[in-house]
Amino acid sequence: MPVEGASVYFNNTSIGTSANASGKFSLPLPDIANAEMIISAVGFQLLVFKPGAAGIENKNIIFKLAQKEEQLKNVLILTDAVRRKYLAIFEREFLGITQEASRSSIKNKRDIYFTSGGAKNSIKAHSDTPLVIINKMLGYKISFELGEFFYDENNGRTFYYGYTRFEEMGDKNSWIKNR
């Protein structure tokens, strides 16, 4: 079955689109060595494809997305105060403490779920939908597919990975100085 609205983009770029009702899309190949094409949709496992320009130019390729299994088994049920604390830790470690970070915000915090990190004072986080980050200093709306987030207060370590798509917020020239 076609997955209408599936997000298709090249990681760490602004090159992307959505699949139409027939599941079809078209994207220009970027001039980036080892570019990663990301295909994602809510309820499906994320797919990473590394196209070689010579191998796929002017060809139709069919991607098959696997349904995502429920991850809610290990989600922590938190009081409002503890959730606020965990979200503050997540934002500090994920966005950082720079001037750019202070002018950035995560718009869909409600989509972030926390699980136990395994050790005392450690947490893991995930999201079933891309995190939407607005960076007002650089003029980007960022969609971030959070693969994994781990924070351990005992040793001060943070680890996270995911896939990013950038979208310009308005006129590029108004942000050029800050970029």
Side-chain angles (χ1 to χ4, degrees):
M1 299 291 293
V3 181
E4 181 178 5
S7 182
V8 184
Y9 60 93
F10 285 100
N11 190 29
N12 291 319
T13 73
S14 59
I15 302 169
T17 190
S18 296
N20 66 18
S22 301
K24 294 182 180 184
F25 64 91
S26 178
L27 279 176
L29 285 173
D31 292 330
I32 304 169
N34 298 317
E36 294 176 309
M37 180 184 286
I38 310 299
I39 300 100
S40 70
V42 175
F44 293 90
Q45 292 179 12
L46 181 128
L47 180 67
V48 179
F49 176 68
K50 290 188 179 185
I56 67 166
E57 196 165 4
N58 298 320
K59 292 189 178 164
N60 290 321
I61 300 173
I62 297 173
F63 295 102
K64 293 185 180 184
L65 299 176
Q67 286 199 308
K68 189 183 282 185
E69 295 196 22
E70 284 291 321
Q71 290 186 329
L72 296 178
K73 313 177 220 182
N74 300 323
V75 171
L76 297 175
I77 306 301
L78 306 171
T79 65
D80 288 345
V82 172
R83 179 163 173 76
R84 279 192 300 274
K85 175 185 171 186
Y86 283 11
L87 280 171
I89 291 168
F90 180 87
E91 285 183 292
R92 181 188 72 224
E93 298 299 317
F94 180 74
L95 294 175
I97 56 173
T98 63
Q99 183 180 5
E100 290 87 354
S102 69
R103 305 240 351 247
S104 298
S105 60
I106 301 170
K107 292 300 178 188
N108 56 336
K109 295 177 196 175
R110 70 188 177 289
D111 294 333
I112 300 170
Y113 300 101
F114 295 98
T115 59
S116 171
K120 186 176 181 183
N121 297 324
S122 67
I123 58 171
K124 289 183 178 181
H126 71 276
S127 178
D128 292 332
T129 60
L131 298 180
V132 177
I133 301 135
I134 303 297
N135 184 316
K136 292 181 181 175
M137 186 168 185
L138 300 179
Y140 287 118
K141 175 183 173 186
I142 304 159
S143 295
F144 188 82
E145 301 268 357
L146 181 62
E148 183 178 350
F149 174 90
F150 175 78
Y151 170 73
D152 187 342
E153 185 178 35
N154 296 329
N155 59 27
R157 290 189 180 168
T158 302
F159 166 82
Y160 64 88
Y161 79 91
Y163 301 96
T164 308
R165 178 179 178 196
F166 296 87
E167 294 178 50
E168 301 275 348
M169 290 186 347
D171 181 22
K172 180 179 180 177
N173 293 326
S174 63
W175 309 102
I176 205 114
K177 183 179 91 174
N178 291 340
R179 291 182 185 171

